[in-house]
Amino acid sequence: MKHRIVVLGAGYAGANAAGRLARRLHPGDVEITVVNADPDFVERVRMHQLAAGQQLARRPLAGLFADTGVALRIARVRSVDADRKLVAVRDEHGVDLEIAYDTLVYALGSTAADNGVPGVAEYAHTVTDPATALRLRDRLAGLDRGAAVLVVGGGLTGIEAATEIAETRPDLAVTIAARTGVGDRLSEKARRHLNSVFDRLGVAVRPHTEIARIDSTTATTTDDRVVPAAVTVWTAGFAVHPIAAATTVTVDPTGRIMVDRTMRSISHPDVYAVGDAALADGPGTEPLRMSCASGIPMAWQAADSIAARLTGRRVPRVPIFYAAQCISLGRRDALIQFVTPDDRATNFLLKGRHAARYKELICRGAASITAHPAAAAPIGHHRRLSDPTPEILTAAS
Ligand SMILES: Cc1cc2nc3c(=O)[nH]c(=O)nc-3n(C[C@H](O)[C@H](O)[C@H](O)COP(=O)(O)OP(=O)(O)OC[C@H]3O[C@@H](n4cnc5c(N)ncnc54)[C@H](O)[C@@H]3O)c2cc1C
């Protein structure tokens, strides 16, 4: 019987993990199945563009995995039983099924956090997935000239959303508010450029503004100031799906699966987790940041770890470190903040049109790597489970 590897989620992390596994392992030995709710690969890094009215190319997963040997199941994961090694899913026809696995790769990504702030779940918009981004697009389209749009969150997603909306709809009054500063992990030079772009686009900046509640037309701060908001876009962090936390797999308090350096669960050796859904040590003192910059190499590491363990080889180390934070500021400007390997801002930076082109290349690159998850490898290069090298005897992992 073939070894059954089931990958949950086909975002940047899951698709790359599945493709790399297909490249590493012989199809005669393993059965690789990817389960994803959506039939298309979603470029989440472009959701603010979708919300601002741009068309995004469709990337059907069926095409992505064609000829790779990876089986695709369009279904929504409902729960995982990590002790019985079963995944409960509801397929596209509404039928409930169970999928058994020998090795699981959990890559269900993340969604928007509401941070427990009253009114966010009911009234706020997000840019986390196509459905929410399209809902925001429709709402923005219905706004009259001068209407107030409040973007909450001074991180990269908030900055990208505020600038994209302001560039597309200069008639709207866009404000970005953050509990601390806006872009405060950027270098001083980068923040100066950011502020000049906010000025050019007419985005009002409200740092040190904590939102206590929102309703359909306003947001109220913790010190009782009322901020007009015909639309509130909530970008104050990501949260993970509650599926992992409902299993016996060890998760951190936010529900991310805790993994070791090989992306293997610290509690369940047959479970791996990658991307936003996993909590892994970073190259410095902080865990890996939720980003595709982390998710793709995490996926490669998980695939290589699984392949090595199944074929009795030593687990290789995929280097995981950062080089830059690439932030779009509308379509004509961007900031490429070069960082240290452990993600701290340096004084090196690219800005303006060149940076916008660079950012576009990075987005296309990430999508292209993901869209060719099993870039041709001759079948003879696949490792056989039945053909372990002598390293099987020495593999400590
Ligand atoms: C607007 C925006 C801009 C961003 N910009 C950047 C950037 O510039 N650089 C960067 O590095 N990161 C950026 N990010 C973050 C980045 O998009 C995420 O960190 C990345 O998508 C995580 O990859 P993932 O594969 O873990 O999860 P995802 O990309 O979220 O993929 C998860 C997959 O799981 C599927 N899924 C979820 N739940 C279920 C279920 N129950 N059943 C079946 N399938 C399910 C989803 O359909 C999806 O295909 C941005 C995010 C946003 C929202």
Side-chain angles (χ1 to χ4, degrees):
M1 191 173 152
K2 291 187 188 179
H3 185 94
R4 297 158 303 177
I5 303 176
V6 174
V7 180
L8 304 184
Y12 294 97
N16 275 287
R20 185 122 159 165
L21 281 162
R23 211 160 104 177
R24 293 274 181 268
L25 294 166
H26 197 283
D29 297 334
V30 291
E31 189 182 285
I32 302 168
T33 304
V34 172
V35 182
N36 199 68
D38 204 304
D40 294 324
F41 166 66
V42 170
E43 279 188 89
R44 272 186 81 197
V45 302
R46 294 192 192 271
M47 287 302 104
H48 56 297
Q49 295 176 231
L50 187 63
Q54 292 159 40
Q55 294 286 338
L56 300 185
R58 253 201 81 204
R59 296 174 186 274
L61 288 169
L64 209 119
F65 290 115
D67 304 323
T68 63
V70 173
L72 173 66
R73 271 210 119 120
I74 304 304
R76 180 162 290 281
V77 176
R78 307 183 75 206
S79 63
V80 175
D81 185 332
D83 301 316
R84 292 168 59 226
K85 299 196 186 184
L86 289 174
V87 180
V89 304
R90 179 162 295 169
D91 76 7
E92 51 196 326
H93 311 294
V95 178
D96 289 337
L97 304 161
E98 281 190 329
I99 302 175
Y101 65 84
D102 299 304
T103 298
L104 184 75
V105 181
Y106 186 99
L108 290 183
S110 62
T111 176
D114 67 10
N115 308 82
V117 173
V120 171
E122 296 89 329
Y123 302 111
H125 290 260
T126 68
V127 285
T128 42
D129 58 54
T132 59
L134 288 172
R135 194 175 141 249
L136 173 58
R137 185 187 69 178
D138 290 348
R139 180 75 185 107
L140 290 172
L143 289 182
D144 292 333
R145 187 181 179 78
V149 175
L150 174 66
V151 177
V152 181
L156 308 190
T157 310
I159 293 169
E160 291 195 327
T163 49
E164 200 78 45
I165 294 169
E167 185 182 84
T168 315
R169 291 289 305 272
D171 59 314
L172 299 176
V174 179
T175 298
I176 183 166
R179 190 171 46 185
T180 53
V182 174
D184 55 5
R185 291 193 62 160
L186 300 172
S187 65
E188 207 184 307
K189 223 157 107 186
R191 281 201 305 274
R192 272 206 302 275
H193 181 64
L194 183 59
N195 286 329
S196 75
V197 173
F198 284 149
D199 274 355
R200 174 170 62 75
L201 296 174
V203 176
V205 183
R206 294 183 78 136
H208 310 292
T209 301
E210 185 162 0
I211 305 299
R213 62 182 180 279
I214 68 163
D215 60 32
S216 57
T217 52
T218 62
T220 306
T221 66
T222 45
D223 54 359
D224 275 335
R225 283 173 293 156
V226 174
V227 183
V231 167
T232 299
V233 185
W234 198 261
T235 68
F238 294 140
V240 293
H241 301 285
I243 293 170
T247 67
T248 52
V249 175
T250 301
V251 297
D252 80 332
T254 67
R256 295 164 84 190
I257 295 181
M258 297 177 73
V259 294
D260 65 16
R261 180 62 182 76
T262 71
M263 304 301 141
R264 177 147 82 167
S265 152
I266 60 166
S267 59
H268 289 63
D270 39 33
V271 173
Y272 290 73
V274 290
D276 288 1
L279 184 78
D281 285 345
T285 51
E286 303 265 313
L288 289 173
R289 172 163 55 93
M290 281 175 160
S291 62
C292 46
S294 314
I296 294 174
M298 287 167 92
W300 292 341
Q301 177 65 72
D304 287 2
S305 306
I306 294 166
R309 287 185 173 120
L310 289 180
T311 58
R313 287 170 168 80
R314 205 182 308 280
V315 175
R317 262 189 168 236
V318 174
I320 306 183
F321 60 87
Y322 300 98
Q325 290 175 10
C326 306
I327 311 153
S328 67
L329 304 172
R331 289 303 87 202
R332 291 184 285 280
D333 208 329
L335 255 177
I336 309 301
Q337 168 69 75
F338 293 98
V339 296
T340 57
D342 63 348
D343 211 23
R344 285 172 293 120
T346 68
N347 282 328
F348 296 103
L349 139 101
L350 197 61
K351 57 186 187 182
R353 279 184 187 274
H354 291 303
R357 276 200 282 275
Y358 186 109
K359 164 78 181 179
E360 180 57 28
L361 283 176
I362 294 288
C363 291
R364 283 190 199 178
S368 165
I369 290 171
T370 311
H372 301 95
I379 205 93
H381 287 190
H382 290 121
R383 293 174 192 151
R384 300 300 310 243
L385 264 60
S386 52
D387 183 24
T389 65
E391 282 169 80
I392 193 167
L393 303 171
T394 55
S397 43

